[in-house]
Amino acid sequence: CPTGQFKVLAIQAGSLTDLANAPLVSVGAGQTVMQALSLLNPDRVITGTLLDGPSGAPLPGIQLIARSSGDVTVAVGTTDELGIFSLAVNGDNWTLDFFGPDLAKAGCVALQMGPTVDATGGSANVTVNTVRATALVQGRVVDESNQPVAGAYVSGMDNTAYLYGSEEHTSELQSRG
């Protein structure tokens, strides 16, 4: 990493990450810093299914992150071959965000504000329907010398209701021509 200060997090499926108490680590040039990290123990589960809205087909292999109210804690997971996910959480309201590039590869767009699940009373179950993409924006990302840039983050959202969006990274192929 470059020199500077970094908040360091441990993230693992089946555990919770405490963003509010993540340690701040200072790293100098040529320095190696050791830092103990911890995860929180969940006490309930949010299970659900992610479906292609129009067809009702399950969407496998889609990564997701759940953020607690106030963005204090996060949980991560991935949908299985049947579009089913399971997130270990604690008693709070959780916003589900499905990974835009995974959805784009499945031909769907992401919701700018994912569904919120109330887990204050115990474990919860939810079905989430996506929206099928109906158009494609295509192009190149170049630097100031008009050279292609690989790995650039590209994001877009609808400009009327701000409900939907998509994101992706430019590919290595773009950098070759």
Side-chain angles (χ1 to χ4, degrees):
C1 65
T3 61
Q5 290 192 324
F6 300 88
K7 248 190 180 190
V8 184
L9 306 171
I11 297 177
Q12 178 183 0
S15 298
L16 292 172
T17 300
D18 184 359
L19 299 176
N21 294 310
L24 189 62
V25 176
S26 294
V27 180
Q31 185 180 21
T32 299
V33 176
M34 300 294 289
Q35 176 65 52
L37 300 173
S38 61
L39 295 165
L40 300 175
N41 292 320
D43 61 3
R44 59 200 73 201
V45 176
I46 295 174
T47 55
T49 307
L50 180 65
L51 302 174
D52 177 335
S55 72
L59 290 174
I62 308 293
Q63 294 178 17
L64 70 145
I65 186 168
R67 298 176 287 112
S68 66
S69 59
D71 293 333
V72 194
T73 312
V74 296
V76 296
T78 304
T79 60
D80 69 10
E81 64 277 353
L82 300 175
I84 297 170
F85 59 89
S86 179
L87 299 168
V89 298
N90 59 16
D92 207 337
N93 289 300
W94 293 84
T95 301
L96 306 180
D97 292 318
F98 295 89
F99 191 55
D102 288 350
L103 288 171
K105 287 179 181 101
C108 299
V109 295
L111 294 170
Q112 289 298 330
M113 179 56 80
T116 299
V117 179
D118 183 355
T120 57
S123 293
N125 189 294
V126 63
T127 298
V128 179
N129 289 297
T130 61
V131 175
R132 174 80 33 204
T134 58
L136 176 66
V137 175
Q138 192 171 311
R140 282 177 83 204
V141 176
V142 295
D143 63 17
E144 62 276 354
S145 302
N146 203 32
Q147 295 302 305
V149 177
Y153 174 76
V154 179
S155 174
M157 73 171 87
D158 73 283
N159 201 24
T160 49
Y162 305 107
L163 295 176
Y164 309 108
S166 191
E167 56 189 273
E168 190 55 86
H169 289 87
T170 58
S171 70
E172 291 295 323
L173 291 176
Q174 178 185 317
S175 68
R176 287 183 259 173

